[in-house]
Amino acid sequence: MQHRLIKTGLASLTAVILTIGVAACSSGSPADSSSSGSAISAKRCEENKAAGPITYLSGYQFQSSASILEYVAASKLGYFSDLCLTVQLKPGSGDTAQNTKLLASGQATVSAIAQQDLIQARANGIDIEGISSYSNAGLDILMTNPGITDLTQLDGQVVGHKGYVPASVEAMMVKAGVDWNSLKLVKEGYDPSVLPRKQDGLAALTGFISNEPNQLKAAGDKVTVWQPVKYGIPSSLGAMAVNPAFAKAHPTAVQDILRAALHAYDYCSASEANTEKCVGFAADLSGGATYDKKLNATIWKTETQVVADNPTHGQPLGGMDPANVTKLVDMLHQFQIVPDTVTGDQAAKWFDNSYITAIYSGDTLIWPAP
């Protein structure tokens, strides 16, 4: 079995710090800002100002994904400024392990970290805290050519991956009855056309629901997408984590970071024109010319649709499901990703729903802030 493991790496960590430092973007010049602090009381404004500069670190560059695009938009639309927050946007490299380390060290304040990755980080002694998640569904999927109508048809076949098979995908296949030990696992690059071309004899390929299937569809290639959530496999989408020391010292700032991002999530999802505008913000931060706006708009629409199709039971948007944390721990035990000494009850303490519950009245986001 192959899994992504969170490990230390001082040289690569330093490289990431240097990279994101060069690419940092401040929220000091919003595109559509009202006056600073206009959506907040004077007292709360002072509390948020006392938090000082806040560093948001994305999961992967400024791709228009849930947990990224709404933070870019909150900056550019002036929502952070409205709440007296000074937020710097920094693009992550896609290396979750590095993000967890930057967050724990205080070099990032908030970052997009999947719940399963947070559990793994905490099991390895990396001190970060989960503060929100949009859904128990995840982005990891398996793609097959149309001839595969049952996952057990993959027995003895070649399955491609990008360095490891995500635990949720493996759990789905095992639950579906696939003979895991019969598979030939091969590492492929980032070109999804290897699947329809059947390169290396591929019968299946891992990917992300908002990325590779959309690329293949645009190219006229047909594939079948298999989602772990449809097999009852736990995951998370759009999950966020915070540096615990910062959260303890500045709880209203953490609440209002989420408040501004969720307000922007609604804005970017409200219409085609709004989505286009938000994607334009991300394109500008990414250098513009090489940023595929059409694909990124599709990424945003796909991920927000997954969220809409798989709402977190009993929670407003952003609220976390404690039962999902327990299920994730069980899955991580199943594949020996975290030790058995990590319990569901223990892992539940690594997530704090209070920041989300504080910014809602029922299912309605409170905007402006008190």
Side-chain angles (χ1 to χ4, degrees), residues 57-88:
L57 179 61
S58 78
Y60 178 68
Q61 303 297 328
F62 292 124
Q63 178 173 281
S64 296
S65 291
S67 77
I68 299 177
L69 188 63
E70 68 271 35
Y71 284 81
V72 170
S75 174
K76 294 299 183 179
L77 293 168
Y79 295 164
F80 289 135
S81 179
D82 287 344
L83 302 177
C84 297
L85 297 169
T86 301
V87 179
Q88 295 177 323

Side-chain angles (χ1 to χ4, degrees), residues 272-336:
E272 291 278 349
N274 284 15
T275 298
E276 183 177 338
K277 186 173 185 177
C278 292
V279 171
F281 294 150
D284 290 343
L285 289 182
S286 303
T290 60
Y291 194 86
D292 189 334
K293 292 183 180 179
K294 184 176 180 181
L295 175 60
N296 275 276
T298 303
I299 287 172
W300 174 256
K301 293 172 188 176
T302 302
E303 294 190 11
T304 54
Q305 188 60 55
V306 171
V307 172
D309 290 343
N310 301 277
T312 306
H313 179 69
Q315 297 289 342
L317 182 64
M320 298 177 290
D321 177 10
N324 191 58
V325 173
T326 299
K327 292 176 182 177
L328 284 168
V329 171
D330 290 342
M331 182 181 72
L332 296 174
H333 285 163
Q334 179 184 357
F335 299 115
Q336 301 177 337

Side-chain angles (χ1 to χ4, degrees), residues 26-27 48-56 84-90 106-110 246 250 253 257:
S26 171
S27 65
N48 284 351
K49 284 182 177 179
I54 294 164
T55 301
Y56 160 85
C84 297
L85 297 169
T86 301
V87 179
Q88 295 177 323
L89 305 176
K90 294 186 177 181
Q107 294 169 85
T109 313
V110 292
F246 177 88
H250 306 288
I257 292 165

Side-chain angles (χ1 to χ4, degrees), residues 37 40-52 83-85 250 252-253 256:
I40 198 169
S41 69
K43 179 178 181 294
R44 194 176 185 96
C45 182
E46 289 304 313
E47 290 174 342
N48 284 351
K49 284 182 177 179
L83 302 177
C84 297
L85 297 169
H250 306 288
T252 64
D256 289 344

Side-chain angles (χ1 to χ4, degrees), residues 1 56 64 128 188 197 263 312 335:
M1 292 182 287
Y56 160 85
S64 296
I128 56 178
E188 297 290 344
R197 288 190 284 110
H263 193 44
T312 306
F335 299 115

